Amino acid sequence: MPLSVLVLNGPNLNLLGTRQPEVYGTTTLADIERDCRAKGQALGLDVEFRHSNSEGELVDLIHDARGRHAGLILNAGAYTHTSIALMDAISSVELPTVEVHLSNIHRREPFRHHSYIAKVALGQICGFGAFGYLMALEALAHHLRSPA
Ligand code: DQA
């Protein structure tokens, strides 16, 4: 049975394609979902792809992932920089997590440099646009098959 992973997207990412294209590019969230599904298939991973604008719903989706998914890829959007609740949710379910950002958050405003998610993630991929999600799938597949 293929391993299953959850790709979870936080606030405002539903607007990708039209939202600040100079920062986030013109790829839509539907494009990213399609590409993640194709990459998942190539890697032998089942991909569930979700989005929510609300912090509590993201916490619920992380809780529900326990027992259903082997790992998590998370672009928490602005909650990256504020949400102890999301950090605690990841610690609570103990799912290996790869943090993704389209933009290079370390080259942007100082308030984007700190990530609560990074404290509980295997690693962070940022600055490579939508391709970062595919890199995250590679990294998670590698970790799940040969955990360091
Ligand atoms: C983002 C970076 C965050 O700082 C921002 O709030 C987002 C998107 C990214 O993918 O680059 O909403 O997570």
Side-chain angles (χ1 to χ4, degrees):
M1 201 171 100
L3 290 171
S4 174
V5 300
L6 175 63
V7 181
L8 191 53
N9 296 279
N12 300 307
L13 293 167
N14 53 313
L15 299 181
L16 285 177
T18 55
R19 171 194 185 198
Q20 295 177 275
E22 69 288 359
V23 177
Y24 298 115
T26 52
T27 309
T28 66
L29 199 59
D31 294 333
I32 294 174
E33 175 171 1
R34 182 203 57 215
D35 292 349
C36 282
R37 288 191 187 290
K39 182 73 174 175
Q41 207 163 32
L43 292 166
L45 295 176
D46 269 348
V47 171
E48 182 177 354
F49 196 93
R50 300 293 293 266
H51 161 264
S52 175
N53 284 319
S54 95
E55 187 176 14
E57 193 178 345
L58 291 166
V59 169
D60 287 339
L61 287 166
I62 292 169
H63 290 179
D64 292 347
R66 177 159 39 190
R68 298 182 49 228
H69 297 288
L72 174 67
I73 292 170
L74 176 62
N75 183 349
Y79 290 140
T80 302
H81 318 298
T82 62
S83 182
I84 297 169
L86 285 179
M87 177 182 75
D88 284 352
I90 293 165
S91 300
S92 305
V93 300
E94 296 181 325
L95 279 178
T97 297
V98 180
E99 175 182 5
V100 176
H101 302 283
L102 296 136
S103 63
N104 182 348
I105 56 174
H106 303 288
R107 218 165 64 175
R108 299 182 64 194
E109 305 94 322
F111 63 83
R112 295 187 203 273
H113 297 177
H114 177 262
S115 165
Y116 282 103
I117 308 305
K119 302 202 178 306
V120 292
L122 294 170
Q124 181 190 72
I125 296 168
C126 70
F128 295 97
F131 185 61
Y133 283 78
L134 308 186
M135 295 167 80
L137 280 166
E138 286 262 8
L140 193 53
H142 178 78
H143 174 84
L144 292 173
R145 295 201 167 109
S146 48

